[in-house]
Amino acid sequence: MKEIYLDNAATTALNPRAREAMLTFLADDGNPSAIYRRAMKSRAALTKAREAAAALIKASPSEIYFTSGGTEADNWALKAVFEKARAEGKTPHMITQKTEHHAVLETCRYLEEQGAAVTYLDVDRCGIVSPAAVEAAIRPETCLISVMTANNETGCLQDVSAIGHIAGEHGVLFHTDAVQAYGHIPLDVNASAVDLMSVSAHKCGGPKGTGFLYIRKGTAVGAFLHGGAQERGRRAGTENTVGIVGFGAAAEAAASSMEDNRVRLLELRRFLTEGLMRAVPGCYLNGGSHRLPGHVNMTFPGIDGEALLIYLDMKGIAASAGSACASGSLSPSHVLTAMGLSYGDAHGTIRMTLSPDLSEEDLQFVIDTIKKGCDNIRRM
Ligand code: PLP
């Protein structure tokens, strides 16, 4: 049975250039902190990867701090800003919005337990937070605004540039979780006035367990891990050189193919969306038109999304739910309910995230299978 993979927002396949770079490097990787030749080779590879990673967001390589991925980068950004504000004797206030990834939301909840005040802003029906609402929420003690670049469930793109400039005008640091956007759309930390940006390698053709936090030069953000002098003393621990080398190669590949991929993904997305709308009357797309090119988040009213996913899996199609299974009970997606979907519709929602190597034939099979799946579930 052919497998059709529609869960690229969960993780992408390893890019062949990343795989090749990692395999080559596995054979003679040294500790980059040592002084002999093998170590120098590892150090040089880290430098090259840092340059490639930085180039995609128009940052300087010295502003890139490699981490174990997006979750760590989000934790670092929020906790470090909180700690600095508290050390200055303030009661830190942070602003975020309701459709953030759990890596941000759960860190906010943890910081609330530590004494932070957090404002969770509403989004509109398209999943967008209004920059004016962000500005209105700023207080004298606000130390951080954290608003994601692209949502992982719907692909919705926030107005990061407007929010970044508002933050800058008020002297508040601005963090954005760009895990889903990095490598898929052009990003520019300077044009968007971003101070801190979280990125993960495995969402753009790199390996799992690697990512970075961009920290704008001059931003007073403390160390996340204490120990050795790695990552300019801000993130101690021997670097995951093989992972970082793979990340660098994936970033280079993404830079060279981004526009072609975007055009192809838009074609595929239109084919899938229009085909589903024709095949399954009443289904609807979530999120406005301003979103990542490969995301299709569809609600099939009256259908149990989990049952549909299981049916798709039996036919070789890997997609994911708009609702997450929490502690044995199905709780609807916080993203979809924040956008105003009813619990029922949120449960009838699935996320399909595309890759440019899919064909129209693959997607026609997906459309036909979803139609059959919905018909079967309705009959049950
Ligand atoms: N932020 C967003 C928006 C994500 O989609 C993810 C992963 O799904 C993360 C953060 C966490 O990244 P990682 O898996 O690298 O920890």
Side-chain angles (χ1 to χ4, degrees), residues 69-369:
T71 301
E72 181 184 323
D74 285 340
N75 269 260
W76 183 357
L78 272 60
K79 288 176 181 171
V81 174
F82 166 82
E83 276 165 18
K84 181 172 175 291
R86 201 167 51 176
E88 288 166 357
K90 298 178 189 147
T91 302
H93 171 242
M94 297 179 162
I95 300 168
T96 188
Q97 56 86 30
K98 290 182 177 170
T99 70
E100 292 291 317
H101 190 270
H102 290 296
V104 166
L105 292 178
E106 291 306 313
T107 305
C108 285
R109 308 248 184 262
Y110 166 78
L111 291 176
E112 282 180 296
E113 285 166 16
Q114 307 306 308
V118 182
T119 301
Y120 300 89
L121 293 171
D122 288 328
V123 294
D124 65 15
R125 183 70 198 193
C126 293
I128 302 301
V129 66
S130 126
V134 174
E135 183 158 34
I138 295 175
R139 306 177 189 167
E141 61 279 20
T142 304
C143 57
L144 184 74
I145 296 169
S146 180
V147 172
M148 69 201 319
T149 301
N151 185 266
N152 41 302
E153 290 189 27
T154 61
C156 290
L157 295 168
Q158 299 291 350
D159 194 347
V160 164
S161 180
I163 297 170
H165 284 97
I166 287 169
E169 281 157 23
H170 289 266
V172 175
L173 290 177
F174 178 48
H175 166 252
T176 187
D177 175 331
V179 165
Q180 290 288 332
Y182 183 87
H184 298 282
I185 55 169
L187 298 173
D188 184 333
V189 285
N190 298 312
S192 299
V194 171
D195 299 301
L196 301 157
M197 178 185 277
S198 302
V199 165
S200 177
H202 73 107
K203 311 288 187 180
C204 65
K208 296 172 190 66
T210 308
F212 68 74
L213 179 65
Y214 157 81
I215 306 179
R216 176 176 292 284
K217 188 168 184 281
T219 308
V221 164
F224 190 61
L225 295 180
H226 301 88
Q230 292 92 350
E231 298 301 289
R232 279 87 74 216
R234 277 173 146 168
R235 202 274 187 183
T238 303
E239 298 87 345
N240 170 11
T241 42
V242 176
I244 292 170
V245 162
F247 184 11
E252 275 174 6
S256 60
S257 57
M258 193 186 294
E259 184 50 21
D260 288 349
N261 286 349
R262 194 185 68 82
V263 170
R264 178 67 184 140
L265 284 170
L266 286 176
E267 279 171 10
L268 291 169
R269 185 173 84 182
R270 189 172 314 116
F271 185 91
L272 178 62
T273 313
E274 291 177 0
L276 282 171
M277 302 264 199
R278 272 195 303 271
V280 189
C283 72
Y284 63 88
L285 191 65
N286 294 302
S289 53
H290 194 46
R291 65 199 151 87
L292 290 175
H295 273 62
V296 178
N297 187 291
M298 275 265 178
T299 300
F300 300 91
I303 295 295
D304 177 352
E306 295 290 321
L308 183 57
L309 287 176
I310 293 166
Y311 182 83
L312 293 178
D313 186 38
M314 286 184 327
K315 305 291 176 191
I317 300 167
S320 78
S323 51
C325 190
S327 35
S329 69
L330 283 177
S331 55
S333 147
H334 70 284
V335 173
L336 299 177
T337 48
M339 288 165 65
L341 268 74
S342 66
Y343 276 29
D345 275 10
H347 274 304
T349 299
I350 65 171
R351 174 184 78 176
M352 293 161 278
T353 43
L354 313 178
S355 58
D357 56 338
L358 287 161
S359 66
E360 275 79 0
E361 198 187 2
D362 293 333
L363 295 185
Q364 190 57 53
F365 178 69
V366 172
I367 295 163
D368 296 342
T369 310

